[in-house]
Amino acid sequence: MGTIAIAVAIVASLAAVAGAFGVAIVVRATLQGITRQPEIRGPLQTVMFIGVPLVEALPIFAIVIAFLLLGNM
């Protein structure tokens, strides 16, 4: 049981780190676009607000699967 718990903890932590990196990349690209063309700030923010949850979906799925595996031991 201990080995699976450690594996679940590793998967959950890697998913959280991957989500943070993904969101950072999306926000960085949005800020670069706003810096280059400030007049399209609104559409870029809209795309960012759609992109961030899409990037966060995969780590959330990974954490849910990890907890399901932990519960099935």
Side-chain angles (χ1 to χ4, degrees):
M1 179 168 171
T3 307
I4 300 220
I6 292 172
V8 167
I10 291 171
V11 167
S13 63
L14 288 177
V17 170
F21 277 122
V23 170
I25 291 169
V26 170
V27 172
R28 181 187 68 191
T30 303
L31 289 175
Q32 285 177 347
I34 291 171
T35 303
R36 290 183 180 150
Q37 293 182 334
E39 65 274 3
I40 61 168
R41 177 181 178 197
L44 285 177
Q45 281 183 335
T46 302
V47 171
M48 181 187 73
F49 290 144
I50 294 170
V52 167
L54 291 175
V55 169
E56 280 292 325
L58 188 62
I60 290 171
F61 288 144
I63 289 174
V64 168
I65 290 170
F67 286 144
L68 287 174
L69 290 174
L70 184 62
N72 286 333
M73 293 192 310

